[in-house]
């Protein structure tokens, strides 16, 4: 499996507190069946985690995982906060934040927790016009999307993808997030699934999330999501990575 949203890098945001916890998160992910983890630290106006920082810290973690025989590949990414249109586009033009796997193909974006960014559609269109696929992180956790689903469906209709979090499906965030996740799944509005893991308590649990999707919508939707997520890992990386990769 592939986890496209994880705060596995230590000491860079509100994720893993140290390298030891990062390694344990990698171990737990592998036990769950995850073989590729995108490290997606927050990229906000108060946390400018640039590409070089992400790549350097991934290198440190990957060496430790390899030495301990934990066959998980950590890949670069970022969770880009939609602080404003100007903020996102300025740093996109500077190429400051990491796209998923470093290529300008997928970008993980996150709404503010306080309110909906009114320029969200404009930002999505900016990326899409450049053939970059925006993926909206955990929309089910934002109260404004639950209150007005049309805000979300307008972004989806424009071409954006969604990323629902496994914990939301399991009811570990709140009942409202679980209910909205199910609403999205039943309408085929869930494009990707991720853990948004932050530590060994808020842990990687992708398999549990897929089981809930199968229960609510059937195996066909599970397979469609997994097939879509395989697009995030280039074939060259799949071929060079020795552990067996399961969907």
């Amino acid at each position: 499996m592939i986890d496209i949203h994880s705060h596995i890098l230590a000491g860079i945001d509100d994720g893993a507190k140290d390298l030891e916890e990062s390694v344990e998160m990698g171990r737990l992910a592998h036990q769950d069946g995850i073989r590729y983890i995108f490290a997606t630290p927050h990229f906000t106006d108060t946390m400018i985690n640039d590409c070089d920082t992400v790549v350097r810290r991934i290198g440190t973690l990957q060496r430790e995982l390899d030495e301990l025989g934990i066959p998980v590949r950590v890949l670069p990414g970022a969770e880009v906060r939609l602080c404003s249109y100007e903020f996102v586009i300025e740093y996109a033009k500077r190429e400051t934040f990491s796209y998923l796997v470093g290529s300008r193909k997928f970008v993980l974006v996150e709404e503010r927790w306080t309110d909906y960014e009114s320029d969200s559609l404009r930002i999505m269109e900016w990326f899409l016009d450049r053939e970059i696929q925006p993926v909206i992180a955990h929309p089910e956790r934002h109260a404004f999307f639950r209150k007005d689903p049309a805000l979300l469906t307008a972004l989806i209709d424009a071409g954006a993808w969604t990323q629902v979090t496994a914990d939301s499906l399991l009811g570990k965030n709140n009942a409202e997030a679980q209910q909205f996740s199910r609403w999205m799944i039943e309408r085929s509005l869930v494009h990707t699934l991720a853990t948004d893991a932050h530590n060994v308590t808020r842990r990687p649990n992708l398999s549990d999330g897929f089981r809930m999707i199968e229960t609510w919508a059937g195996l066909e939707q599970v397979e469609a999501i997994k097939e879509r997520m395989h697009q995030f890992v280039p074939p060259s990386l799949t071929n060079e990575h020795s552990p067996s990769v399961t969907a």
Side-chain angles (χ1 to χ4, degrees):
M1 292 188 294
I2 301 163
D3 188 3
I4 66 166
H5 185 177
S6 175
H7 297 268
I8 193 172
L9 297 181
I12 198 170
D13 58 4
D14 59 346
K17 63 181 182 298
D18 52 33
L19 183 59
E20 182 180 4
E21 186 165 40
S22 295
V23 169
E24 184 59 22
M25 289 172 67
R27 191 190 310 276
L28 291 170
H30 181 265
Q31 290 174 356
D32 191 54
I34 296 167
R35 297 296 178 264
Y36 296 92
I37 300 173
F38 284 86
T40 53
H42 293 292
F43 189 96
T44 74
D45 51 2
T46 59
M47 286 185 280
I48 305 295
N49 289 310
D50 60 44
C51 299
D52 291 342
T53 300
V54 172
V55 170
R56 185 172 63 252
R57 289 177 181 257
I58 286 176
T60 300
L61 173 57
Q62 190 68 62
R63 284 191 294 273
E64 191 72 13
L65 291 169
D66 292 345
E67 287 178 9
L68 293 171
I70 301 172
V72 170
R73 178 71 178 265
V74 184
L75 303 169
E79 183 180 14
V80 182
R81 180 76 53 81
L82 303 185
C83 297
S84 69
Y85 176 85
E86 291 74 19
F87 172 82
V88 175
I89 305 310
E90 175 186 353
Y91 284 107
K93 288 179 177 179
R94 291 187 190 179
E95 300 185 350
T96 307
F97 57 75
S98 297
Y99 291 87
L100 297 180
V101 93
S103 65
R104 291 171 57 86
K105 188 173 181 181
F106 298 100
V107 61
L108 184 69
V109 298
E110 175 192 37
E111 291 282 352
R112 296 187 298 270
W113 291 101
T114 53
D115 60 328
Y116 176 72
E117 169 52 51
S118 59
D119 275 331
S120 291
L121 181 58
R122 188 179 171 203
I123 295 169
M124 301 302 147
E125 290 173 340
W126 189 91
F127 284 118
L128 290 164
D129 286 346
R130 289 155 180 81
E131 298 184 349
I132 300 168
Q133 179 63 60
V135 183
I136 304 166
H138 46 62
E140 79 284 355
R141 296 183 58 202
H142 291 278
F144 46 78
F145 281 140
R146 299 196 298 263
K147 182 178 180 180
D148 186 2
L151 291 175
L152 179 60
T153 56
L155 302 179
I156 295 171
D157 289 344
W161 287 0
T162 62
Q163 172 264 297
V164 164
T165 302
D167 271 352
S168 295
L169 303 180
L170 303 172
K172 292 185 178 181
N173 289 320
N174 55 55
E176 291 81 6
Q178 184 181 43
Q179 291 166 4
F180 194 63
S181 297
R182 184 165 186 170
W183 181 88
M184 291 176 64
I185 288 167
E186 290 174 345
R187 289 158 179 78
S188 298
L189 299 178
V190 176
H191 301 93
T192 66
L193 183 69
T195 69
D196 193 9
H198 277 63
N199 47 53
V200 295
T201 302
R202 192 171 163 184
R203 59 192 291 170
N205 56 351
L206 212 51
S207 60
D208 288 338
F210 277 121
R211 278 193 285 271
M212 288 303 299
I213 294 176
E214 183 175 358
T215 298
W216 291 341
L219 185 59
E220 184 176 348
Q221 189 162 158
V222 169
E223 294 303 324
I225 293 171
K226 287 183 176 180
E227 182 177 354
R228 187 178 299 113
M229 291 177 65
H230 275 299
Q231 298 177 44
F232 289 80
V233 179
S236 58
L237 288 179
T238 303
N239 293 336
E240 75 176 34
H241 194 42
S242 57
S244 60
V245 180
T246 59

